[in-house]
């Protein structure tokens, strides 16, 4: 057996980012993932964040849909109808894992909640994914990644010092939640393998954002410290931030006194090797002076010159890349972080690599409802039933 | 069996954030986690990001160490000595999972790499965690969370439009990598439960950062688009950003035309309900006008007034909280996201909840080497060996 999740069936009723991305990773590990989509255009992500002109150029679906939906088959079922819900129930009964991100109580209202099926299917692993979780004062408030960047306090520590709050530029809470779903589902599968017991689990954008903020919360609980925005800098040490080059920016991090000495020697022993900057606590106290002294040197050099000098001296350094530079760098390819598929298509791979049973890509993104008849037929639906269920949509 | 990882032994040789946090989550799930620390002060995180004055007030260790090291026991062993390395080897042979974040090749140089032990212990799950991964042009470059926010392009899309790059204020790449480790280890444990086979796995800050950026990379590969900084705004839809209140900020997200109509009705039908703003594509085109029209209204209201109006109208909204407000909000507690321990201590809990076998906290952070003798004794070391190994340090 070379695939971790060979023989595991996942029914994914979720949309947009976190749920689909988590199901994709389960598919990377070899699960048979079925994506249930609405007849009204399917997952909204198919058209998200892309202009009409771009869609005409690259064809549907959107780049983000392509990012989160490899290794899946798509079935269209209308959950607004009795027949659609009944079909989902039948598919759930033959699935090992069921994911959904409907508002709390929706699956129950449709008669396909965990409690409706768990007696008949005690091995089922059923995952709810919500914005703020299933209960509590915010359970019914709509939210997305940005809302949780705001609610969690992340935005209060992101951006320029004294300036307005900023967001982390990517949907990091959403994609972090995706890995929380994967972790929870794998934990439940391991538990079932040892005990025979399925179970319900849940996670949320809220839990994910709190995990990302956990050490700030701990700091606040213990000391009352409310850290604030510092641009690219960090309250932990100096230097630990971006510095200007003559053609962009680099980040330089030298937390230990030993690394600082190497930095000073590599960049300019005369101005940086001074006694006053030698200890971490003094560099913290003289933050402004240290930053100015380093900037005075880096401004005269190119990004690549600084990177070469400092990496040679074993000082932590990175170029602040644009997206083109980041994707063009050979490192991600070198570690197997890019999946190649079809005719030159590239996809960011599974974010961890098992050496005997690594994630892999066997299918591109599915067309809307592309596998409806195939999936229903496998599940024992009759020709007439298949016709009825797909006829409504086509 | 009520705990998912009951009977699973984890030997954690890692330091700072990602590795320790992942081992903590395995401990939350019931694993017996042993943290191996150096006699030279142990995990550097014990003193990280906290001033001497704060340490005197709250006592060691630092808030971040407390955040990432519950549910563990600590053993001090000196990997610079033959006796220390031999002790680690003996502990590895009785562990199900081994984690390390040394530079590539270090464990091998010490004779305790995967290949050194896998014949004798084929069921071992061995996880390497690196900055850029084990191979490739950047394998030997030092890096931290900030470096990967820079390298990945995340920093290029974070911050004010036209301003300098900013970092996401928390160590999101590190903590995302932590969940990647947990996912990889759980996948390997599931595989071993079904096949008897252990294996090596790895992940890195690089793979985690690429996962967080995956849809931007896909967009670039398909269209050549390099998105840039937009403050709190988003290229996906308008409004989808922070707006000023008279006492702070709120984020408002109304991607669909239906939600926009509800927003306009709730805030100001006269100025917002106009024909020109009715469709998503026009709101994108007239971004500046839409943002100004909303801001003109929100500036006159408090955060809580805006939140009440819009949540009542089923529009996605959140207050931009500071860290004190975020931790003080009752929602995280309501969903079981906070672990309580000891005398009023609070900790951010496991970021997913299994209903039959949820993560829980049984131990606070360990003192440096607190369990050295106990762990060695359990592992069958003699009194004399224990004396020799711990004598060197004490």
């Amino acid at each position: 057996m070379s695939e971790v999740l060979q023989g595991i069936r996942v029914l994914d009723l979720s949309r947009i980012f976190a749920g689909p991305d988590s199901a994709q990773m389960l598919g990377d590990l070899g699960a048979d993932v079925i994506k249930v989509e609405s007849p009204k255009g399917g997952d909204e992500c198919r058209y998200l964040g892309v202009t009409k002109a771009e869609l005409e150029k690259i064809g549907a679906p959107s780049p983000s849909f392509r990012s989160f939906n490899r290794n899946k088959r798509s079935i269209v079922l209308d959950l607004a109808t009795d027949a659609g819900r009944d079909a989902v129930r039948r598919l759930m009964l033959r699935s090992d894992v069921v994911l959904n991100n409907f508002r709390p109580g929706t699956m129950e209202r449709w008669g396909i909640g965990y409690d409706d099926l768990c007696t008949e299917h005690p091995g089922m692993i059923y995952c709810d994914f919500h914005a703020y979780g299933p209960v509590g004062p915010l359970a019914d408030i709509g939210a997305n990644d940005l809302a949780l960047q705001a609610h969690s306090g992340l935005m209060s520590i992101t951006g320029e010092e004294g300036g307005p709050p900023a967001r982390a530029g990517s949907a990091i809470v959403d994609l972090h939640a995706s890995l929380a779903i994967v972790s929870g589902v794998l934990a439940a599968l391991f538990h079932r393998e040892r005990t025979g017991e399925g179970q319900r689990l849940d996670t949320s954008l809220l839990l994910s954002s709190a995990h990302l903020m956990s050490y700030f919360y701990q700091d606040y609980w213990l000391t009352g410290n409310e850290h604030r925005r510092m641009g690219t800098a960090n309250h932990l040490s100096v230097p630990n931030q971006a510095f200007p080059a003559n053609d962009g920016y680099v980040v330089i991090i030298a937390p230990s006194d030993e690394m600082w000495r190497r930095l000073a020697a590599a960049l300019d022993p005369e101005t940086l090797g001074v006694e006053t900057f030698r200890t971490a606590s003094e560099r913290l106290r003289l933050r402004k002076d240290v930053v100015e002294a380093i900037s005075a040197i880096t401004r005269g050099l190119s990004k690549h010159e600084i990177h070469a000098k400092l990496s040679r001296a074993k000082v932590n350094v990175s170029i602040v890349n644009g997206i083109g530079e980041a994707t063009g760098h050979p490192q991600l390819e070198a570690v197997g972080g890019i999946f190649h598929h079809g005719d030159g298509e590239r996809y960011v791979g599974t974010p961890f690599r098992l050496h005997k049973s690594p994630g892999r890509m066997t299918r591109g993104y599915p067309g809307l409802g592309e596998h409806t008849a195939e999936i229903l037929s496998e599940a024992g639906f009759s020709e007439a039933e298949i016709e009825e269920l797909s006829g409504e949509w086509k």
Side-chain angles (χ1 to χ4, degrees), chain A:
Chain A
M1 193 186 296
S2 71
E3 290 179 328
V4 172
L5 296 183
Q6 189 171 321
I8 298 294
R9 290 202 191 105
V10 177
L11 192 71
D12 177 20
L13 297 155
S14 72
R15 293 143 300 135
I16 309 283
F17 278 20
D21 185 58
S22 71
Q24 167 169 288
M25 285 188 269
L26 299 173
D28 291 353
L29 296 176
D32 176 17
V33 181
I34 295 174
K35 182 180 179 75
V36 180
E37 297 191 78
S38 143
K40 292 176 187 154
D43 186 345
E44 304 93 298
C45 189
R46 287 181 176 273
Y47 305 100
L48 197 71
V50 59
T51 62
K52 275 183 193 159
E54 282 165 355
L55 267 186
E56 271 163 28
K57 188 178 151 207
I58 62 168
S62 71
S64 53
F65 186 87
R66 295 174 198 225
S67 281
F68 304 135
N69 290 285
R70 64 174 171 252
N71 289 331
K72 297 178 191 180
R73 297 183 291 167
S74 166
I75 181 172
V76 163
L77 290 171
D78 190 349
L79 287 162
T81 68
D82 288 343
R85 287 192 298 268
D86 188 59
V88 166
R89 162 190 273 273
R90 284 170 66 182
L91 293 175
M92 286 171 73
L93 289 174
R94 43 183 271 123
S95 298
D96 299 283
V97 177
V98 175
L99 301 177
N100 84 89
N101 70 338
F102 293 109
R103 295 272 178 114
T106 306
M107 292 285 279
E108 286 74 11
R109 209 161 51 242
W110 285 337
I112 51 175
Y114 180 71
D115 291 339
D116 298 305
L117 281 89
C118 68
T119 308
E120 201 175 340
H121 186 10
M124 178 173 61
I125 290 163
Y126 179 103
C127 180
D128 290 304
F129 175 66
H130 300 304
Y132 289 102
V135 295
L138 297 176
D140 294 321
I141 305 283
N144 67 347
D145 178 87
L146 181 73
L148 272 293
Q149 289 201 28
H151 176 81
S152 66
L154 175 59
M155 207 176 270
S156 78
I157 56 171
T158 301
E160 291 307 304
E161 194 176 344
R167 72 189 275 270
S170 184
I172 58 161
V173 179
D174 244 327
L175 294 177
H176 191 56
S178 165
L179 266 179
I181 295 170
V182 169
S183 294
V185 165
L186 289 169
L189 279 167
F190 180 72
H191 187 72
R192 189 182 74 168
E193 199 63 27
R194 298 214 294 182
T195 64
E197 249 187 7
Q199 65 183 302
R200 186 172 193 166
L201 67 135
D202 68 77
T203 184
S204 55
L205 293 174
L206 177 74
L207 289 180
S208 288
S209 66
H211 181 241
L212 293 174
M213 292 295 291
S214 54
Y215 64 108
F216 287 96
Y217 291 3
Q218 189 64 50
D219 199 337
Y220 179 78
W221 282 328
L222 287 167
T223 68
N225 277 350
E226 280 200 282
H227 291 287
R228 306 293 301 169
R229 294 182 274 286
M230 303 180 70
T232 62
N234 199 304
H235 68 282
L236 304 178
S237 64
V238 176
N240 190 346
Q241 67 180 73
F243 291 91
N246 63 23
D247 59 351
Y249 292 90
V250 291
V251 294
I252 301 174
I253 308 106
S256 72
D257 296 338
E258 175 55 32
M259 200 177 281
W260 169 259
R261 275 191 292 277
R262 294 201 299 270
L263 177 151
L267 284 187
D268 185 12
E270 202 174 319
T271 59
L272 300 179
V274 295
E275 189 63 32
T276 42
F277 292 166
R278 284 206 180 161
T279 68
S281 58
E282 282 302 286
R283 289 194 301 280
L284 265 175
R285 196 174 68 82
L286 302 170
R287 175 184 289 275
K288 216 178 140 209
D289 299 336
V290 176
V291 170
E292 271 175 19
I294 298 174
S295 302
I297 300 152
T298 58
R299 264 193 213 100
L301 300 168
S302 76
K303 297 181 289 193
H304 290 279
E305 282 169 337
I306 300 165
H307 192 272
K309 270 179 196 284
L310 291 180
S311 60
R312 212 181 301 125
K314 301 270 176 208
V315 172
N316 297 345
V317 61
S318 172
I319 291 170
V320 178
N321 285 319
I323 288 166
E325 293 161 318
T327 54
H329 196 284
Q331 183 65 24
L332 189 60
E333 182 75 76
V335 296
I338 297 178
F339 288 165
H340 295 269
H341 186 76
D343 189 15
E345 295 167 28
R346 281 171 289 179
Y347 296 85
V348 173
T350 324
F352 51 87
R353 287 169 17 88
L354 284 77
H355 293 205
K356 281 189 188 155
S357 44
R360 85 288 169 261
M361 177 161 182
T362 53
R363 277 179 196 276
Y365 56 86
L368 177 60
E370 183 182 345
H371 309 94
T372 303
E374 176 184 311
I375 291 163
L376 291 172
S377 172
E378 281 171 14
F381 286 71
S382 70
E383 291 276 320
E385 287 172 318
I386 296 172
E387 187 57 35
E388 197 202 322
L389 282 163
S390 48
E392 277 180 26
W393 169 55
K394 280 177 182 161

